[in-house]
Amino acid sequence: MLETPAANNTDGFARITFESSAATQCQLNGDAAFDCTSPLFLTDIGAGDQTLVIRTAESEPETAVTVQWTVANIFDAGHEDLVLTNQSPEPVEAYSWRGIVRINCDFSHSSYNDPIVYPGQENAAHLHRFYGNMLVDHMLTTESLLSSGDSSCQGGELNRSAYWVPALLAPLYDPDTGERALDADGEPAWQTVPAVVGNDEEAHEIFYYSAGIDDLSAIQPVPAGLRMIAGKATTQPEAPQDTSIVRWHCQSWESDDAENPQFSATIPECVAPDRVRMDIFFPSCWNGEDLDSADHQSHMAYPISEGGPNGTRCPESHPVAVVRPSYHYAFGVKPEVFDPVTQSSRGWRLASDMYAVTVSTPGGLSLHADWINGWHPQIMAALLDVCIKSGFDCHDGNLGNGLRLSGTQPGSQFEPEIINQGMGY
């Protein structure tokens, strides 16, 4: 053995390296044996004693190598990213979420990378804004995500998940003349529109984890390393997206799925001091086998609603219900980013909008988002069992068990130059 886990640790993963010239099989905790090679990276390791048996295919059990270690229960052992709280969550409101956890994230950094769509290819994508694991770049792997980096989201190293969205851009105007400013190439200049919370302070975007089906007992934790995309970056004006998946609305509309479902597939012209709001819902039904697929969507599906006693459930093609992520942003229509004539969000676009944005064809049709699960498995289980399955509304990283996740922190907040209306190189 060249590398084994620490005898006692709190990790939800393990890296083991070994030497073998023959076909090798591994068996963890008596489960089914599987083919393995060195280095071996294991995920979703629960609390308790762990036993890994490594043997060549021709070997008898008595010649096998055994690796043993213990993973502590982080709620008993303590962790710097868990904080005591005396706040107890309230049950969800009627006709609202079935069960939900809400966390905050600070902005980490921007780049023209996309480790899901363009793995290993630097600057191959449109401009993205990243949240969560601060080390995310084009070279990201499941192992690097789970085992390294701090997070800009609540939970710190317990929430190394990667979250990213296309940058929202506003035309840049000359503050003295009101005329459209030009960039170094003489083209119309653009600027990033930051998200806001509270009294128009730039910070913390909100991410939800909730139930997508009616039978809460059927929902399972998201497996570590699961990656997926919600929405379609290639959307064109002739075929807008379904607003049950991705949508925009003005905060003043007071939109609500149950009583006031007023949503738009494009960025509405919200007038200052209003806010433009953005919602992105990920699929929550998994095929139970693949952590990714060629289009980064086919291994997942959205629930289907049959009404009556059957309610909302997963389709037979994707039978495994998992915790549903969703992104919820607000963008202030403020003087530095609004259209000087209408004092509205007129002209805003996404870096992924590959069409001409005009008054009659607003931006935002290409709304989409990426996510890779990097939660510690014990925390993911707590989100599900304590908050979601119990029908609670757990705010601000509250885990419903007397603990909450640690606060947010900024990443590098690096902002590269806006190239080609954010569409990149």
Side-chain angles (χ1 to χ4, degrees):
M1 283 297 159
L2 303 178
E3 180 181 359
T4 59
N8 295 279
N9 63 65
T10 59
D11 296 330
F13 59 85
R15 177 183 169 87
I16 299 99
T17 61
F18 52 89
E19 294 180 347
S20 176
S21 59
T24 306
Q25 284 201 324
C26 294
Q27 187 176 31
L28 180 65
N29 298 330
D31 293 338
F34 57 93
D35 294 337
C36 56
T37 58
S38 178
L40 174 65
F41 189 73
L42 301 171
T43 63
D44 285 323
I45 298 176
D49 295 333
Q50 314 295 322
T51 300
L52 177 72
V53 178
I54 305 172
R55 62 173 68 89
T56 59
E58 298 81 10
S59 297
E60 295 298 324
E62 58 264 27
T63 63
V65 174
T66 299
V67 181
Q68 294 181 312
W69 72 101
T70 299
V71 177
N73 183 319
I74 59 174
F75 299 111
D76 295 334
H79 193 283
E80 62 182 3
D81 288 314
L82 292 175
V83 182
L84 291 172
T85 179
N86 58 8
Q87 298 294 316
S88 297
E90 297 290 334
V92 295
E93 296 181 0
Y95 309 108
S96 180
W97 305 88
R98 300 174 181 89
I100 183 172
V101 179
R102 308 174 193 240
I103 68 162
N104 298 321
C105 292
D106 206 340
F107 169 55
S108 176
H109 62 279
S110 279
S111 77
Y112 290 93
N113 297 322
D114 188 325
I116 288 182
V117 179
Y118 299 107
Q121 301 178 57
E122 188 172 15
N123 293 329
H126 47 256
L127 184 61
H128 286 112
R129 290 173 72 82
F130 290 86
Y131 306 83
N133 193 311
M134 299 178 188
L135 299 183
V136 171
D137 62 11
H138 59 293
M139 299 302 294
L140 180 74
T141 65
T142 296
E143 181 174 342
S144 66
L145 177 78
L146 298 177
S147 63
S148 61
D150 206 342
S151 176
S152 68
C153 297
Q154 287 182 284
E157 293 184 359
L158 298 177
N159 179 14
R160 285 175 165 147
S161 299
Y163 313 74
W164 66 97
V165 294
L168 179 62
L169 306 175
L172 183 63
Y173 295 93
D174 187 302
D176 297 322
T177 65
E179 298 294 323
R180 188 65 190 279
L182 302 179
D183 62 21
D185 296 323
E187 297 294 327
W190 295 84
Q191 60 181 322
T192 301
V193 182
V196 297
V197 294
N199 187 24
D200 281 340
E201 296 176 0
E202 296 179 16
H204 314 163
E205 290 73 355
I206 309 297
F207 299 84
Y208 295 174
Y209 290 89
S210 61
I213 64 170
D214 289 334
D215 183 5
L216 302 183
S217 65
I219 301 175
Q220 298 184 19
V222 183
L226 181 73
R227 51 187 64 199
M228 56 179 163
I229 297 175
K232 294 188 178 296
T234 57
T235 302
Q236 294 291 306
E238 60 270 16
Q241 299 192 72
D242 188 335
T243 55
S244 68
I245 297 175
V246 293
R247 66 199 188 191
W248 304 90
H249 50 110
C250 297
Q251 185 161 296
S252 61
W253 295 355
E254 298 183 351
S255 302
D256 178 86
D257 286 288
E259 299 179 353
N260 181 32
Q262 184 179 1
F263 300 105
S264 173
T266 57
I267 302 169
E269 289 191 11
C270 307
V271 179
D274 208 348
R275 293 179 178 176
V276 173
R277 297 196 64 91
M278 178 186 87
D279 303 313
I280 302 171
F281 296 90
F282 282 81
S284 58
C285 297
W286 178 40
N287 66 11
E289 298 178 1
D290 304 306
L291 297 180
D292 199 358
S293 53
D295 63 359
H296 317 294
Q297 294 184 316
S298 298
H299 60 305
M300 304 296 299
Y302 285 90
I304 56 178
S305 179
E306 296 184 332
N310 293 324
T312 299
R313 63 173 180 82
C314 284
E316 293 181 1
S317 60
H318 296 74
V320 182
V322 295
V323 175
R324 177 182 66 180
S326 58
Y327 299 0
H328 305 270
Y329 287 44
F331 303 93
V333 184
K334 301 193 288 185
E336 54 266 35
V337 291
F338 67 39
D339 173 72
V341 176
T342 62
Q343 298 189 0
S344 74
S345 50
R346 174 178 290 183
W348 290 12
R349 59 172 290 123
L350 289 171
S352 52
D353 285 338
M354 300 182 67
Y355 60 92
V357 172
T358 66
V359 174
S360 59
T361 309
L365 282 167
S366 65
L367 183 56
H368 65 284
D370 303 60
W371 182 70
I372 307 178
N373 178 33
W375 283 95
H376 191 292
Q378 293 184 43
I379 299 296
M380 171 58 71
L383 300 180
L384 175 59
D385 294 337
V386 183
C387 291
I388 296 173
K389 285 187 175 181
S390 300
F392 285 121
D393 188 343
C394 294
H395 279 270
D396 195 27
N398 193 323
L399 298 177
N401 58 3
L403 296 167
R404 66 173 177 83
L405 300 171
S406 59
T408 63
Q409 54 186 331
S412 67
Q413 306 209 335
F414 174 73
E415 294 268 20
E417 178 186 1
I418 297 174
I419 300 170
N420 187 22
Q421 301 181 93
M423 290 185 284
Y425 294 88

